[in-house]
């Protein structure tokens, strides 16, 4: 019973993350949204680990946290160099890859 | 005897020096030439002891060694060549001396002497060559010098044309001679001139006849015998000393020398050819000489006629007599030409009409000219007498009709020479003659020296000097004593000639009865127009040749040029078509592919905004779609 709630929370978090990713112009805000996505996934792992009594899933949850930290580091570094070169942190103003 | 190299070498080096530095040497070049030629004369005289002993002296180098034959190059002197050497060097020296006076106003003074030296060098080489190849090379060099000297005053178009005519006409003969040499080489493998008698033993008589006839053809060209005689009268356009040296004394004698040198090769058949051509030339040219009105042209035809006499002697198998007459004629004719040159120099006229009574104004020229005329006419005991008489005697012993033809020829010779002499030096002086002056000493000195030769040199072949001349060239059995009948005949011929010349040539009497006058007139006109030989060649050879060249030219322009132009324009048009094909089809295909690729690229370009949000949206949409798909499929 409780599982449904947990899954609802994680779904809500995921949807918030997607929404934030798609709507925020600020790259830092987009990074924050990605954190929401990762944490929603992590929450899912933890929930299913509890229900199926499987410790492996919890290990993956840890990896997700570590991954999130790495992602933050790399993402912030990119944003830093973007702000240095393009004098902006708005993702839609950086369109060097425009075809 | 490597020293023999000096004889042609000294004039050759002189010629090269003068050609290179003539301008700087200037007037001294004449004396250089005289010195060079005189030195060759003395060298020749120095050889006399060896030659009189009957030796053949010489040397030769092998310049090309082959399995079949050794090609040698060398000079040699025997009696025959020695006699020629004496003639060439002595007359050459005197003429060079004379030219100093004759040419002293000429702007190309040193050039003239360079050619003169070169001519003497090649003539000496020709005479001394011991191999057919060297002989042929010198033969051609002589022809070249003749060309250069005839057209020496090339500003006159007549002189330039005469030079060309001489060169081309003699080339025809030279081609025959070259063929003869080649056949000789193919059939015998040897081109040495020294051993022709042995070569004769090994060859088929028909081949020998062919070879000797071809060699004689070369002599016809060079010695101006009948079919190819046309160049010599025209060659009188050259300076008079050249006429004297080349066209009287030496070069034209080269043909006679060639026949004499290769005499062992001649078979009875080819000797008959020589006899026929020689006799025809002798009479033919003599009749033309009777009618000519230009002093030099009379002498030119006289030269042709006398060369014909030499050929006749050769045809009578009397090679030594031909050579003897060659030498006597050389001195007489050189003197005659130099005398004519002196007349031209003194009066600036060479037409007989403008020359009369010159004996009062040019005494030395007059006396020397008279001596030459008498000598060449065969007046007893002068040089020409000895040689002509010997030939007549020989003819009498062999063929009577030849003898009577030669008697007629001798009468004609005396007539035209005396006619020339009388009209130049006798009668009341013409206006041109009154302004005449005797030539300077540098011109008259050679005249006097030559006159001494022309009068007396014949004695070397006379019984009084035991036929010294003939012993030099290796003939020992000669008729001893003088035939009184021959002396009388010669004297009668000269007197008859004198009478004819006096009556017809000088006083213009009409001797023929009235009924024969049209025939005489007709004959005179024919001879005066040189029997229309030039016209005949013009009509028979030159005009068809020109017509053929014009036809070929038209063919070239119309057909060949047309084909070439058609091919050109066809290619051009084809190129245009290909260009259009390239431009319209190939280029368009290539460009079309490129454009299509670019336009296709425009479509994906629309989604490649470079902004991160649309990408994200696409990812989300795709995942949702996948999820929906997966769920729906379960």
């Amino acid at each position: 019973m409780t599982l449904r709630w947990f899954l609802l929370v994680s779904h809500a978090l995921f949807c918030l993350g997607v929404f934030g990713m798609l709507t925020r112009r600020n790259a830092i805000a987009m990074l924050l949204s990605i954190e929401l996505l990762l944490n929603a996934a992590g929450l899912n792992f933890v929930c299913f680990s509890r229900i199926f009594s499987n410790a492996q899933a919890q290990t993956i949850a840890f990896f997700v946290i570590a991954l999130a930290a790495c992602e933050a580091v790399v993402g912030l570094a990119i944003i830093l160099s973007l702000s240095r070169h393009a004098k902006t942190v708005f993702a839609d103003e950086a369109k060097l890859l425009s075809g | 005897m490597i020293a023999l190299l000096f004889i042609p070498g000294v004039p050759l080096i002189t010629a090269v020096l003068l050609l290179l530095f003539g301008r700087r040497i200037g007037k001294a070049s004449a004396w250089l030439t005289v010195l060079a030629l005189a030195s060759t004369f003395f060298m020749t005289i120095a050889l006399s002891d060896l030659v009189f002993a009957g030796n053949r002296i010489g040397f030769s180098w092998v310049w090309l060694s082959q399995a079949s034959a050794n090609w040698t190059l060398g000079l040699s002197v025997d009696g025959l060549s020695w006699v020629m050497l004496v003639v060439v060097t002595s007359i050459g020296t005197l003429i060079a001396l004379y030219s100093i006076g004759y040419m002293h106003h000429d702007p190309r003074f040193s050039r003239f002497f360079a050619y003169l030296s070169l001519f003497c060098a090649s003539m000496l080489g020709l005479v001394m060559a011991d191999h057919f190849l060297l002989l042929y090379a010198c033969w051609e060099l002589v022809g070249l010098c003749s060309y250069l000297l005839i057209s020496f005053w090339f500003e006159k178009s007549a002189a330039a044309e005469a030079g060309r005519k001489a060169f081309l006409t003699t080339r025809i003969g030279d081609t025959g001679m070259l063929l003869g040499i080649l056949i000789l080489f193919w059939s015998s493998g040897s081109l040495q001139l020294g051993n022709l008698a042995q070569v004769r033993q090994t060859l088929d008589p028909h081949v020998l006849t062919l070879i000797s006839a071809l060699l004689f053809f070369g002599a016809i060209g060079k010695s101006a015998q009948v079919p190819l005689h046309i160049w010599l009268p025209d060659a009188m356009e050259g300076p008079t000393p050249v006429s004297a040296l080349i066209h009287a004394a030496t070069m034209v004698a080269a043909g006679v020398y060639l026949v004499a040198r290769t005499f062992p090769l001649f078979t009875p058949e080819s000797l008959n050819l020589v006899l026929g051509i020689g006799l025809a030339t002798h009479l033919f040219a003599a009749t033309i000489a009777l009618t000519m009105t230009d002093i030099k042209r009379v002498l030119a035809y006289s030269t042709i006629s006398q060369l014909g006499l030499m050929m006749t002697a050769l045809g009578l198998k009397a090679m030594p007599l031909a050579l003897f007459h060659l030498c006597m004629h050389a001195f007489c004719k050189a003197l005659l030409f130099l005398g004519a040159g002196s007349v031209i120099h003194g009066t600036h006229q060479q037409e007989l009409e403008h020359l009369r009574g010159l004996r009062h104004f040019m005494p030395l020229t007059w006396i020397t000219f008279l001596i030459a005329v008498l000598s060449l006419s065969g007046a007893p005991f002068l040089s020409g007498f000895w040689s002509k008489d010997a030939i007549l005697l020989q003819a009498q012993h062999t063929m009577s009709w030849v003898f009577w033809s030669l008697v007629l020829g001798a009468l004609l010779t005396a007539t035209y020479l005396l006619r020339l002499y009388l009209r130049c030096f006798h009668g009341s002086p013409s206006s041109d003659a009154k302004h005449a002056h005797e030539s300077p000493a540098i011109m008259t000195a050679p005249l006097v020296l030559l006159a001494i030769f022309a009068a007396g040199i014949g004695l070397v072949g006379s019984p009084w000097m035991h036929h010294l001349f003939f012993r030099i060239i290796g003939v020992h059995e000669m008729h001893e004593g003088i035939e009184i009948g021959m002396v009388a005949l010669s004297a009668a011929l000269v007197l008859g000639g004198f009478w004819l010349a006096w009556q017809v040539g000088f006083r213009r009497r009409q001797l023929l009865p009235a009924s024969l006058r049209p025939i005489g007139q007709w004959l005179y006109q024919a001879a005066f127009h040189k029997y229309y030989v030039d016209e005949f060649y013009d009509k028979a050879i030159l005009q068809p040749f020109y017509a053929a060249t014009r036809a070929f030219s038209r063919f070239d322009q119309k057909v060949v040029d047309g084909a070439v132009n058609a091919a050109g324009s066809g290619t051009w048009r084809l190129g245009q078509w290909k260009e259009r094909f390239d431009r319209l089809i190939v280029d368009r295909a290539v460009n079309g592919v490129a454009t299509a690729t670019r336009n296709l690229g425009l479509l994906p370009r629309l989604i490649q905004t470079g902004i991160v949000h649309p990408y994200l949206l696409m990812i989300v949409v795709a995942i949702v779609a996948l999820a929906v798909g997966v769920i729906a499929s379960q």
Side-chain angles (χ1 to χ4, degrees):
Chain A
M1 250 347 214
T2 47
L3 181 64
R4 175 175 295 175
W5 293 106
F6 281 112
L7 288 181
L8 272 175
V9 170
S10 81
H11 264 87
L13 273 177
F14 194 83
C15 288
L16 273 174
V18 169
F19 183 76
M21 282 264 288
L22 292 178
T23 54
R24 303 308 298 242
R25 292 173 62 210
N26 194 315
I28 296 174
M30 288 171 75
L31 266 186
L32 290 175
S33 309
I34 292 171
E35 291 299 321
L36 284 180
L37 293 176
L38 287 170
N39 283 325
L43 186 58
N44 255 14
F45 276 119
V46 173
C47 290
F48 285 114
S49 163
R50 174 97 183 148
I51 288 165
F52 296 114
S53 304
N54 188 337
Q56 276 182 355
Q58 287 205 22
T59 334
I60 292 173
F62 278 115
F63 274 115
V64 168
I65 292 165
L67 190 76
C70 297
E71 178 263 326
V73 169
V74 174
L76 280 172
I78 291 173
I79 291 164
L80 197 64
S81 71
L82 177 73
S83 76
R84 275 194 192 149
H85 285 286
K87 307 284 179 210
T88 180
V89 288
F90 293 114
D92 57 350
E93 287 181 6
K95 33 182 186 180
L96 285 173
L97 289 177
S98 167
Chain B
M1 281 307 280
I2 205 99
L4 286 182
L5 214 53
F6 281 108
I7 293 183
V10 170
L12 182 66
I13 290 167
T14 312
V16 172
L17 273 179
L18 292 187
L19 280 176
L20 293 178
F21 310 110
R23 257 169 225 270
R24 215 164 295 165
I25 298 172
K27 294 283 171 189
S29 51
W31 288 106
L32 207 59
T33 307
V34 172
L35 207 64
L37 294 179
S39 73
T40 59
F41 175 70
F42 290 118
M43 280 188 268
T44 309
I45 296 300
L47 290 173
S48 57
D49 283 346
L50 287 165
V51 173
F52 285 9
N55 293 328
R56 183 183 169 86
I57 48 179
F59 69 94
S60 65
W61 292 314
V62 176
W63 62 273
L64 181 64
S65 225
Q66 271 187 323
S68 55
N70 274 335
W71 295 84
T72 59
L73 203 61
L75 300 175
S76 71
V77 175
D78 57 3
L80 183 63
S81 359
W82 187 79
V83 167
M84 290 293 292
L85 284 181
V86 173
V87 171
V88 173
T89 53
S90 58
I91 294 182
T93 311
L94 290 177
I95 287 176
L97 199 62
Y98 175 94
S99 307
I100 297 174
Y102 193 83
M103 300 298 286
H104 75 282
H105 287 312
D106 200 277
R108 290 191 296 274
F109 185 76
S110 59
R111 178 58 57 107
F112 178 82
F113 284 94
Y115 290 160
L116 216 59
S117 299
L118 183 62
F119 167 76
C120 285
S122 30
M123 188 69 200
L124 294 172
L126 192 159
V127 170
M128 298 172 78
D130 76 339
H131 194 271
F132 261 115
L133 272 187
L134 182 59
L135 183 131
Y136 186 74
C138 291
W139 181 273
E140 293 294 356
L141 265 179
V142 165
L144 168 72
C145 294
S146 159
Y147 168 76
L148 291 173
L149 284 168
I150 292 170
S151 43
F152 186 72
W153 288 322
F154 52 76
E155 296 92 344
K156 277 196 301 179
S157 73
E161 265 172 36
R164 199 173 54 199
K165 186 170 175 184
F167 194 70
L168 289 179
T169 314
T170 50
R171 288 293 310 159
I172 298 172
D174 296 351
T175 311
M177 178 182 168
L178 183 61
L179 276 177
I181 293 176
L182 290 176
I183 296 173
L184 177 68
F185 179 69
W186 277 329
S187 52
S188 77
S190 162
L191 287 180
Q192 290 291 333
L193 283 166
N195 58 355
L196 290 177
Q198 287 101 291
V199 169
R200 185 193 176 118
Q201 305 298 324
T202 61
L203 287 184
D204 185 60
H206 298 295
V207 178
L208 267 180
T209 307
L210 180 64
I211 292 171
S212 50
L214 283 171
L215 289 177
F216 177 57
F217 196 59
I220 289 179
K222 207 60 137 200
S223 288
Q225 297 298 292
V226 147
L228 299 179
H229 67 283
I230 48 169
W231 65 270
L232 204 144
D234 288 12
M236 296 302 129
E237 291 295 339
T240 307
V242 171
S243 307
L245 178 61
I246 300 192
H247 307 118
T250 56
M251 181 186 101
V252 290
V256 179
Y257 171 78
L258 176 75
V259 178
R261 172 55 74 191
T262 59
F263 202 68
L265 294 179
F266 279 73
T267 56
E269 292 81 13
S270 46
L271 281 177
N272 281 340
L273 177 73
V274 176
L275 176 66
I277 298 246
L279 202 54
T281 309
H282 181 47
L283 297 175
F284 174 85
T287 50
I288 299 177
L290 280 175
T291 62
M292 288 292 112
T293 57
D294 178 315
I295 179 166
K296 284 179 79 179
R297 275 181 186 261
V298 175
L299 293 178
Y301 279 103
S302 160
T303 302
I304 298 175
S305 170
Q306 294 300 314
L307 289 165
L309 180 60
M310 295 170 212
M311 288 295 180
T312 311
L314 287 168
L316 292 170
K317 306 189 187 60
M319 186 270 272
L321 299 182
L323 207 70
F324 186 39
H325 190 60
L326 189 162
C327 299
M328 298 310 110
H329 168 255
F331 287 107
C332 294
K333 195 49 69 66
L335 177 53
L336 283 172
F337 265 108
L338 294 191
S342 178
V343 167
I344 295 168
H345 192 74
T347 60
H348 303 290
Q349 280 296 342
Q350 55 189 81
E351 280 293 318
L352 286 178
E353 290 153 43
H354 304 288
L355 300 169
R356 269 196 316 275
L358 279 174
R359 80 193 138 113
H360 304 294
F361 307 97
M362 308 180 83
L364 268 174
T365 308
W366 167 53
I367 293 290
T368 52
F369 202 87
L370 177 62
I371 290 171
V373 163
L374 288 177
S375 176
L376 195 58
S377 306
F381 312 122
L382 292 176
S383 295
F385 163 76
W386 299 110
S387 57
K388 191 174 289 187
D389 233 34
I391 295 173
L392 280 175
L393 212 57
Q394 178 79 16
Q396 195 188 23
H397 291 322
T398 44
M399 275 176 270
S400 64
W401 65 273
V402 176
F403 172 73
W404 289 113
S405 312
L406 289 184
V407 167
L408 174 64
L411 180 68
L412 291 173
T413 307
T415 311
Y416 66 69
L417 283 174
L418 285 161
R419 166 180 172 268
L420 176 67
Y421 161 76
L422 287 171
R423 289 185 62 172
C424 272
F425 292 97
H426 287 270
S428 58
S430 63
S431 58
D432 284 308
K434 277 178 188 151
H435 300 113
H437 54 86
E438 184 58 283
S439 301
I442 195 131
M443 287 167 71
T444 49
L447 287 181
V448 172
L449 278 172
L450 273 172
I452 294 168
F453 280 124
I457 195 81
L459 290 176
V460 298
S462 70
W464 295 345
M465 285 180 75
H466 306 291
H467 302 292
L468 174 65
F469 181 90
F470 299 104
R471 278 187 285 126
I472 293 173
I473 59 177
V475 181
H476 294 283
E477 59 281 1
M478 287 298 297
H479 181 75
E480 286 295 332
I482 300 168
E483 291 217 3
I484 299 300
M486 275 297 159
V487 179
L489 177 66
S490 286
L493 286 174
V494 175
L495 287 176
F498 177 75
W499 182 77
L500 276 174
W502 177 260
Q503 294 291 350
V504 184
F506 186 60
R507 295 180 63 195
R508 317 257 177 168
R509 286 276 176 78
Q510 193 56 268
L511 292 181
L512 289 173
S515 57
L516 288 177
R517 270 179 207 169
I519 301 174
Q521 192 61 30
W522 184 76
L523 280 174
Y524 175 84
Q525 282 300 326
F528 183 74
H529 290 103
K530 305 150 205 165
Y531 296 108
Y532 304 98
V533 174
D534 275 323
E535 285 79 0
F536 172 73
Y537 285 158
D538 186 55
K539 285 277 184 303
I541 298 172
L542 291 181
Q543 292 306 336
F545 180 73
Y546 290 149
T549 53
R550 275 194 297 272
F552 281 127
S553 158
R554 268 200 302 280
F555 178 79
D556 230 29
Q557 276 169 6
K558 296 273 155 61
V559 181
V560 178
D561 282 13
V564 170
N565 288 343
S569 65
T571 311
W572 187 69
R573 199 145 308 162
L574 190 70
Q576 276 192 320
W577 279 105
K578 284 183 76 172
E579 189 266 337
R580 202 168 297 169
F581 175 80
D582 244 23
R583 194 155 45 81
L584 295 184
I585 297 181
V586 178
D587 280 11
R588 281 194 183 175
V590 172
N591 289 343
V593 170
T595 315
T597 312
R598 197 189 62 193
N599 290 347
L600 269 177
L602 284 177
L603 212 62
R605 203 174 153 227
L606 292 176
I607 53 171
Q608 294 288 335
T609 56
I611 303 167
V612 82
H613 294 106
Y615 298 145
L616 284 173
L617 184 63
M618 275 183 270
I619 293 170
V620 170
V621 169
I623 289 174
V624 169
L626 268 175
V628 169
V630 168
I631 291 164
S633 65
Q634 277 178 353

